Amino acid sequence: MKLYYSPAACSLAPHIALIETGAAYTTEKVDVRAKKTETGADFWAINPKGYVPTLVLDDGEVLTEGVVMQQYIADLKPEAKLAPARGTKERRKLEELLVFLSTEVHKNFSPLFSLATPEDFKTQTKEKIAQRFDYLERQLSDGRAFLTGDQFTIADAYLFTLSNWTKFTGIDLARWPNLTAFAGRVAQRPSVQQAMKAEGLM
Ligand SMILES: N[C@@H](CCC(=O)N[C@@H](CS)C(=O)NCC(=O)O)C(=O)O
C-alpha cells in the first residue's frame, strides 16, 4: 500500500492507523497546492480529486476518501481493535463518529486554511467548530480515555489530527479541557509520535 500525504493534513489519521496495524506501507509527500508529489509525479493523475489522503492498494485500487481508507486499514487487522466488527451496533456508532468528524469538524476547518476566505465567514466557521467541539467535550466528560470508551480507534486518530489544526487557525483548544487532555493522551501514543516524526512535525 502507498499513502499519499501532506504534513499535518487529514492524511495524518490513516498514517497513524497504518502504524497501529503494523501493515506494510510506503508513503509519498504531496504538495497539494502545486498538485505534485515529492518525486515529481502529477498528483491529478494519481487522484483525480487532487487531495490527500490517497491510498493506493497493492492491486492498484485507489481509495480517495479518508473515512473509507481509515476503515479499510482498521479492517485489515481486527485484532488491533481500531474499529469494531462491521454490522454491529458498535460499528455503526463509530461510523457516525467518523462521518461527524469528516463533515462537521474537518470540513468546517477547511475554509480557515484559505487566504481567500473572508474574515466574517472565518468567524462563523470557528463558531460552528466550537459547537462541534462542545459536543465532543461532553462525550469525553465521563472520564473515558477515548471517544468510544477505553479502546483507541480510528476516530481518535482522526479527532487528534483535527484538534491539532487549532494550532494553525487561532482556536484555543484549552477552552475544552477534556478535549485538550484527550489530545495530550493521544499525542503520547508511539504510533502517533512515529507518524508525526515521519511527516516532519516533531
Ligand atoms: N473528502 C476528503 C477531503 C480531503 C481533504 O480535505 N484534503 C485536504 C487536506 S486535509 C487537501 O488535500 N486539500 C487540497 C485540495 O482540496 O486541493 C476526505 O475526507 O478525505
Side-chain angles (χ1 to χ4, degrees), residues 21-127:
T21 61
Y25 72 95
T26 58
T27 60
E28 184 160 348
K29 188 156 67 175
V30 179
D31 179 337
V32 285
R33 289 188 199 275
K35 309 295 178 199
K36 285 273 175 209
T37 76
E38 63 184 336
T39 60
D42 171 16
F43 189 54
W44 287 119
I46 295 160
N47 178 353
K49 292 175 177 169
Y51 52 63
V52 295
T54 301
L55 188 70
V56 180
L57 307 186
D58 293 342
D59 65 1
E61 183 182 350
V62 183
L63 304 185
T64 60
E65 291 298 332
V67 297
V68 172
M69 72 188 73
Q70 287 168 37
Q71 292 180 85
Y72 173 82
I73 294 163
D75 291 339
L76 284 177
K77 195 175 175 196
E79 56 279 25
K81 295 191 162 88
L82 291 175
R86 280 195 187 268
T88 60
K89 183 178 171 187
E90 290 74 20
R91 180 59 170 255
R92 284 191 290 284
K93 284 286 156 213
L94 182 80
E95 287 165 358
E96 276 199 341
L97 265 172
L98 293 171
V99 173
F100 176 77
L101 292 173
S102 174
T103 60
E104 302 296 335
V105 184
H106 179 170
K107 279 296 129 184
N108 270 321
F109 266 103
S110 299
L112 301 181
F113 292 108
S114 170
L115 294 174
T117 306
E119 281 308 314
D120 59 341
F121 186 71
K122 282 190 179 172
T123 304
Q124 285 175 38
T125 296
K126 283 183 184 177
E127 188 44 45

